[in-house]
Amino acid sequence: MARTPVIAGNWKMYKTIAEAKEFLVELIPQVKECEARVYIAVPYTALAPLAEQAHGSNVVIGAQNMNDASEGAYTGEIAAAMLVEAGAKFVILGHSERRHVFGEDDAFVNRKVRRALDEGLQPIVCVGETLKERSRNQTEEILRSQIEGSLAGVTAKEMSKVILAYEPVWAIGTGKTATPKTAQESHQFIRQLVAELWNEEVAEEIVIQYGGSVKPDNVRKLMNQPDVDGALVGGASLSVESFREIVNFSMSEV
Ligand code: 13P
């Protein structure tokens, strides 16, 4: 496969600086032979120390969210330039927890994507349907409107820096992973949509991660699907053992 897989951990609101450092000390030697790219989205407080610690290794440190403004009176928010200064290389945008718990819409996600690209941060843009939407056969419609809305105005050249993450909301934190077939169907749809909205070359090159209850025992079958190029891992990225297994298993044949 021409696309280099990207396995990203999303720690959400877990790990103090001390816990994060301890994790990385253990992880780095265990993934150094891995051919996949290894990303971890850490809490803001752990960004600078972990980025420094990861320097020279094949682990890439990033953030889980940011604001779209360059700076301003936005209590509690964080700007892209601050993340870059702290050593973040990428940022997760439009995660379903941001969309559903904090009410973020596609227009807001789109402004953040614009800002991230302008500041040199690689966006991982998340999309995915709820259980209700899936049961009403609206999955493709939802994916289309989220992708069109979140990535409006992004050029084909800029798309080469974007990672897409398909995270069906019903699979996040529930233990209900999409079957490899269901994941492949959505990933294939997303890739075709990217070809339609940008072009074939962008579609061929873009990394599309699957997220939602990825574990060491299901990652291989998911990654063996032709349009699944990586994983966005929540709960199973919190322990070195399971994250290391996911990273290393992701490159092996079923
Ligand atoms: P889980 O792997 O815990 O289901 O979380 C998925 C996720 O939200 C990653 O961003």
Side-chain angles (χ1 to χ4, degrees):
M1 184 172 63
R3 297 180 289 272
T4 304
V6 182
I7 307 294
N10 172 14
W11 281 354
K12 308 192 178 183
M13 202 172 73
Y14 292 97
K15 293 198 191 294
T16 62
I17 297 173
E19 288 164 347
K21 282 177 152 178
E22 200 182 313
F23 180 101
L24 205 56
V25 167
E26 281 183 49
L27 183 75
I28 287 174
Q30 301 195 47
V31 296
K32 71 169 193 275
E33 306 293 332
C34 184
E35 288 162 43
R37 288 155 74 197
V38 184
Y39 284 26
I40 311 176
V42 304
Y44 299 130
T45 47
L47 266 177
L50 261 68
E52 200 181 317
Q53 203 180 335
H55 191 77
S57 79
N58 61 341
V59 177
V60 179
I61 301 297
Q64 302 170 17
N65 184 34
M66 55 172 243
N67 192 268
D68 65 309
S70 62
E71 60 181 0
Y74 302 109
T75 302
E77 290 296 281
I78 197 152
M82 297 168 185
L83 301 180
V84 171
E85 186 192 38
K89 302 288 185 224
F90 72 93
V91 60
I92 298 175
L93 297 176
H95 190 280
S96 79
E97 286 148 18
R98 300 300 318 173
R99 292 177 184 270
H100 297 285
V101 184
F102 299 97
E104 296 190 2
D105 61 11
D106 288 322
F108 191 27
V109 177
N110 185 229
R111 294 197 300 275
K112 296 182 191 214
V113 170
R114 182 71 268 143
R115 178 69 61 189
L117 288 168
D118 290 346
E119 298 285 349
L121 273 174
Q122 179 176 37
I124 297 184
V125 180
C126 303
V127 294
E129 80 288 359
T130 63
L131 191 56
K132 202 176 194 179
E133 290 159 348
R134 171 160 286 269
S135 66
R136 291 178 179 167
N137 278 326
Q138 291 173 325
T139 300
E140 294 189 354
E141 187 187 320
I142 292 296
L143 295 177
R144 176 181 282 275
S145 72
Q146 288 178 337
I147 289 174
E148 284 180 350
S150 304
L151 294 167
V154 175
T155 65
K157 191 157 173 255
E158 289 168 333
M159 281 299 282
S160 67
K161 304 191 182 80
V162 173
I163 291 178
L164 286 174
Y166 170 60
E167 296 206 306
V169 180
W170 47 271
I172 297 176
T174 58
K176 288 186 198 142
T177 324
T179 61
K181 183 170 169 284
T182 303
Q184 169 58 23
E185 280 166 9
S186 292
H187 281 234
Q188 192 175 11
F189 173 77
I190 291 170
R191 200 175 301 284
Q192 280 163 0
L193 185 60
V194 169
E196 180 195 315
L197 298 173
W198 286 275
N199 60 49
E200 288 287 347
E201 202 185 327
V202 172
E204 192 49 42
E205 284 177 5
I206 197 159
V207 167
I208 309 175
Q209 297 177 316
Y210 167 79
S213 298
V214 173
K215 309 282 178 228
D217 62 6
N218 60 30
V219 68
R220 265 189 259 217
K221 285 196 174 142
L222 287 161
M223 290 291 295
N224 262 264
Q225 301 301 311
D227 290 299
V228 178
D229 312 313
L232 186 53
V233 188
S237 73
L238 293 170
S239 102
V240 174
E241 201 188 341
S242 58
F243 190 54
R244 164 192 48 97
E245 285 183 14
I246 288 172
V247 167
N248 291 320
F249 283 3
S250 67
M251 297 303 289
S252 56
E253 296 295 315
V254 179

